[in-house]
Amino acid sequence: MASPNGSLTRRRFLTTSGQLGAGVAGLGLLGAPAIVLAEGRRPRVEGGVMSGDVLFDRAMLWGRSSRPSRLWVEVADNPEFRRARRLAPVDVLPGNDLIGKIDATGLGGMEQVHYRVRFAAYGDERALSEPVMGQLRLPPTAPRNLRFVWSGDVVGQGWGIDESRGGMRTWETMRKVQPDFFIHSGDSVYADGPLESTVALGDGGVWRNVVTPAKQKVAETLAEYRGQHAYNHLDANFRRFAAEVPMLAQWDDHETVNNWYPQELLDDDRYTEKNVALLSARARQAFVEYMPIRMPPEAPQCLYRRFAYGPGMEVFMLDMRSYRGPNSPNRQPDASAATAFLGDNQFRWLRRALKDSTATWKIIAADMPIGMVVPDGDHFEAIANGDDGQPLGRELEIARLLQAIRDDDIANVVWFTADVHYTAAHHYAPERAAFKRFKPFWEFVSGPLHAGTFGPSEMDATFGPEVVFHKAPPEGQSNLPPSAGYQFFGQVDLDGESESLTVRLKDSDGQTLHTQTLTPEPRTANA
């Protein structure tokens, strides 16, 4: 069992090293006595381990070292690592912030995968880090029950890790429900939101942030963006969760800067670098390094991707940030580069992927909501524009997508999002809408995972949303701390036999606030 800091204790390691000796020897390394002699040169595993982008026979595995070293990973179908298989090593150097990522293949048939991460010093492989264990569950190839959780918005609005209050508790609450995977809906860091060491609370108390140098200013350099992500790994709740639950991660704006779009030049005195395209390139590199994301050589910048989870479910991860036009009044009558949100390539990919999918449920993971009005000053940050009539601006692209889903007869599409810092369930239907050429669908909203809480948002009636449920701070209150109880995540359960999909909106204590059970439409010819 891993210790709370994400690695085995020294005593535990030395006790078990005899059991692990075959694996150590097989790596060309010496046993425990030699390791003790090399103590001064031993790397450490920094920030625990992670897995993600899981397919039926492979998964991305992640670890970070304390110094230049070589990453060794073993995988097995049992926690004792009997008959463990060693993967080819990966060099870990300062150029990638001492991060090692391995695309572990050949995992088919191992429903539960256990993996063990170590780092070995260059030139002295007796100097071996203590192992850190992780586990993950592979997607099924046959029907079975499935569970995932989703949320977003981490360390926002000045609320960092307060260890006296249990740290980022929602991670631990999500871990306890034992999900198959986690959809991170974006704003995984707030690179534009420096932390103060203390924040006065309205009740007379004090919030005490853990603060690192990178979190004391807005991020501009690659090193500063990396430091934003490294901060989250200081939290024991996050490390435990990441070691047990594979992550499907997407980004939004705060990984770079608030409400950014690629063409923007910043008007913010906190920044010496004003070119947002350059800032976002640095932010993207840090995001990809610190997330267990698979970046194929043929598409090294592409963050939209898909993941099949057996016959019952497929997940489509969108990127609503990289290809958008400028934030604007959002009332353009005709589609153009100025109204882009997904962009043509991603739009075509998504339409084709939805049409090709044989899964019963098509899960669209969107980093921004559809009908909720999200302003950016006098302009608009998301899709809706506050005009209840026919689609205008970015709504044109979404109308085109919704109509394509109808015309292609794609059934059982459900949207999941975060971004707005409260939780809600929305049902969209053409009979309530100004634009009517689409199938009814659900959109579920969750978050923040650990940030200030706001809401509720105004709704735009263009696509006919009905607010079936929401929970947000009381009227007149905003940016409430995580201790106020308005932190949220969602839990989704697929019944492997009936294929019903049950969505539960939950708070950081694990209390269910709302439940919605969806019955699938019958399979059609395209499935």
Side-chain angles (χ1 to χ4, degrees):
M1 178 63 67
S3 64
N5 69 357
S7 62
L8 295 184
T9 64
R10 174 177 166 78
R11 174 175 293 180
R12 173 64 172 157
F13 175 73
L14 293 177
T15 300
T16 59
S17 60
Q19 302 170 14
L20 305 181
V24 174
L27 297 177
L29 306 170
L30 301 179
I35 292 172
V36 173
L37 290 174
E39 184 74 28
R41 295 176 53 82
R42 293 176 65 186
R44 298 185 311 276
V45 178
E46 295 281 4
V49 296
M50 293 194 292
S51 68
D53 280 17
V54 179
L55 302 175
F56 78 96
D57 63 347
R58 66 198 303 172
M60 292 299 297
L61 305 180
W62 183 100
R64 182 168 182 251
S65 179
S66 61
R67 61 177 63 182
S69 54
R70 182 164 289 149
L71 169 64
W72 289 97
V73 175
E74 295 169 284
V75 296
D77 62 2
N78 62 89
E80 293 79 25
F81 288 86
R82 296 186 302 271
R83 302 174 302 280
R85 177 165 63 92
R86 298 183 302 276
L87 306 181
V90 170
D91 289 326
V92 175
L93 299 168
N96 55 19
D97 211 28
L98 303 175
I99 290 170
K101 294 169 67 172
I102 289 180
D103 191 354
T105 59
L107 304 180
M110 298 169 58
E111 181 179 349
Q112 191 79 20
V113 177
H114 298 265
Y115 62 96
R116 182 164 58 199
V117 170
R118 296 186 180 95
F119 291 97
Y122 285 116
D124 184 3
E125 290 194 335
R126 299 171 304 170
L128 182 68
S129 73
E130 295 183 354
V132 177
M133 318 299 189
Q135 62 183 22
L136 62 98
R137 198 176 190 190
L138 290 173
T141 56
R144 71 163 170 85
N145 295 346
L146 283 167
R147 171 176 292 172
F148 73 85
V149 292
W150 93 94
S151 190
D153 316 308
V154 183
V155 187
Q157 290 73 49
W159 308 110
I161 302 166
D162 184 340
E163 294 179 334
S164 69
R165 297 174 184 269
M168 298 195 286
R169 295 193 306 109
T170 313
W171 291 110
E172 177 65 9
T173 305
M174 293 193 300
R175 185 190 69 84
K176 288 181 177 178
V177 306
Q178 298 182 309
D180 288 84
F181 62 95
F182 169 61
I183 295 176
H184 202 315
S185 301
D187 291 342
S188 53
V189 300
Y190 278 70
D192 56 344
L195 296 178
E196 300 290 338
S197 58
T198 61
V199 182
L201 301 178
D203 61 4
V206 176
W207 184 276
R208 302 185 186 281
N209 285 319
V210 173
V211 178
T212 64
K215 296 297 292 186
Q216 292 179 306
K217 69 177 293 290
V218 296
E220 299 179 81
T221 67
L222 176 58
E224 289 167 348
Y225 281 113
R226 287 167 166 170
Q228 299 288 325
H229 291 275
Y231 180 85
N232 292 347
H233 290 254
L234 299 177
D235 182 69
N237 302 291
F238 174 80
R239 294 196 302 272
R240 283 191 296 267
F241 179 89
E244 295 184 20
V245 183
M247 184 180 300
L248 307 181
Q250 60 193 158
W251 74 342
D252 192 28
D253 56 335
H254 290 286
E255 286 86 358
T256 304
V257 63
N258 187 42
N259 294 352
W260 74 273
Y261 49 88
Q263 308 85 352
E264 185 179 9
L265 293 177
L266 282 179
D267 181 16
D268 187 330
D269 292 339
R270 300 178 302 167
Y271 289 83
T272 57
E273 177 55 67
K274 308 292 187 181
N275 186 334
V276 172
L278 177 56
L279 291 174
S280 68
R282 294 167 179 166
R284 178 193 294 269
Q285 179 172 335
F287 175 77
V288 170
E289 288 173 342
Y290 270 86
M291 291 295 181
I293 291 176
R294 179 182 295 105
M295 302 301 290
E298 67 274 15
Q301 302 253 37
C302 183
L303 294 176
Y304 55 86
R305 55 214 196 277
R306 61 192 287 193
F307 299 96
Y309 273 82
M313 180 187 299
E314 187 162 6
V315 179
F316 303 86
M317 304 289 293
L318 302 187
D319 178 359
M320 292 176 154
R321 187 57 54 179
S322 300
Y323 311 105
R324 62 166 60 194
N327 292 351
S328 73
N330 203 20
R331 303 289 177 89
Q332 298 93 336
D334 300 309
S336 68
T339 66
F341 202 63
L342 299 175
D344 285 342
N345 287 342
Q346 185 174 192
F347 181 96
R348 288 193 295 269
W349 167 83
L350 179 59
R351 182 176 186 177
R352 183 175 61 252
L354 288 171
K355 193 172 183 178
D356 291 345
S357 177
T358 60
T360 300
W361 292 100
K362 289 81 174 175
I363 305 300
I364 297 184
D367 43 290
M368 299 207 76
I370 295 173
M372 304 169 86
V373 178
V374 184
D376 179 17
D378 294 333
H379 293 173
F380 291 91
E381 158 72 352
I383 298 161
N385 56 25
D387 182 321
D388 293 336
Q390 290 295 316
L392 297 169
R394 291 168 174 166
E395 293 174 337
L396 293 166
E397 191 179 78
I398 299 304
R400 180 181 166 215
L401 175 61
L402 295 179
Q403 182 171 340
I405 290 171
R406 186 202 70 171
D407 293 348
D408 294 341
D409 196 23
I410 309 299
N412 308 316
V413 176
V414 189
W415 294 68
F416 294 87
T417 189
D419 183 67
V420 292
H421 295 237
Y422 71 99
T423 190
H426 303 146
H427 184 256
Y428 292 78
E431 61 267 21
R432 295 189 297 266
F435 176 82
K436 299 183 180 298
R437 297 188 296 277
F438 67 96
K439 289 187 174 190
F441 66 94
W442 283 90
E443 174 188 62
F444 296 97
V445 186
S446 198
L449 198 153
H450 189 87
T453 316
F454 299 88
S457 301
E458 294 181 11
M459 302 298 294
D460 184 312
T462 296
F463 301 113
E466 177 189 2
V467 180
V468 177
F469 171 82
H470 81 269
K471 185 169 183 180
E475 186 174 356
Q477 298 187 36
S478 63
N479 196 19
L480 300 183
S483 55
Y486 291 91
Q487 307 291 293
F488 305 109
F489 72 97
Q491 175 183 315
V492 182
D493 288 277
L494 173 69
D495 184 278
E497 184 175 351
S498 70
E499 293 196 311
S500 64
L501 196 74
T502 300
V503 181
R504 295 178 176 86
L505 304 179
K506 293 188 166 186
D507 65 18
S508 56
D509 292 324
Q511 298 298 311
T512 297
L513 309 172
H514 178 74
T515 301
Q516 199 76 44
T517 298
L518 310 182
T519 302
E521 294 180 36
R523 291 180 181 270
T524 56
N526 78 296

